[in-house]
């Protein structure tokens, strides 16, 4: 059974798709799945991985609605993997935009 990988925010923009479906071999981990996704979509790889290949701290990965602390967990048939990056930054919010009230 296939695994659905849903992309959000900048990852969706980088890939140009909302989700992809894969049928990974048995024993595939979430980490391996993300690595293969990064190879297919280089813009996604830039968002997911640091220069040394580790997953960036700001990446949030959920497996079947459970946030993962480690990506070494296996992917099971029918899983839904959601991947997003935290929105970081700040700056000046103009008065009257609703965020200053």
């Amino acid at each position: 059974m296939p695994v659905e990988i849903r992309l959000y925010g900048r990852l969706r923009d980088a890939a140009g798709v909302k989700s992809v479906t894969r049928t990974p071999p048995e024993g595939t981990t979430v980490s391996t799945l993300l690595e293969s996704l990064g190879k297919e979509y280089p813009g996604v790889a830039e968002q997911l991985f640091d220069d040394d290949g580790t997953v960036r701290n700001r990446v949030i990965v959920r497996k079947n609605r459970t946030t993962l602390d480690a990506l070494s967990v296996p992917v099971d048939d029918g899983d839904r993997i959601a991947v997003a990056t935290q929105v970081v930054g700040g700056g000046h919010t103009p008065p009257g935009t609703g965020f200053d009230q």
Side-chain angles (χ1 to χ4, degrees), residues 33-62:
L33 194 64
L34 294 181
E35 288 170 10
S36 68
L37 188 67
K39 289 177 184 174
E40 186 173 348
Y41 300 100
V44 169
E46 293 173 8
Q47 298 292 321
L48 288 178
F49 303 105
D50 286 327
D51 291 337
D52 64 359
T54 58
V55 176
R56 294 182 187 275
N57 289 335
R58 67 177 186 242
V59 173
I60 302 167
V61 181
R62 294 175 58 106

Side-chain angles (χ1 to χ4, degrees), residues 13-91:
D13 295 341
V17 295
K18 292 181 180 181
S19 67
V20 296
T21 303
R22 298 288 179 266
T23 305
E26 189 173 329
T28 298
T29 64
V30 172
S31 179
T32 304
L33 194 64
L34 294 181
E35 288 170 10
S36 68
L37 188 67
K39 289 177 184 174
E40 186 173 348
Y41 300 100
V44 169
E46 293 173 8
Q47 298 292 321
L48 288 178
F49 303 105
D50 286 327
D51 291 337
D52 64 359
T54 58
V55 176
R56 294 182 187 275
N57 289 335
R58 67 177 186 242
V59 173
I60 302 167
V61 181
R62 294 175 58 106
K63 178 182 174 188
N64 302 325
R65 299 185 181 189
T66 300
T67 302
L68 300 177
D69 293 325
L71 302 180
S72 58
V73 297
V75 176
D76 300 311
D77 289 344
D79 277 349
R80 288 185 179 168
I81 307 297
V83 188
T85 56
Q86 291 178 344
V87 177
V88 295

Side-chain angles (χ1 to χ4, degrees), residues 93-101:
T93 303
T97 62
F99 294 108
D100 60 337
Q101 301 173 2

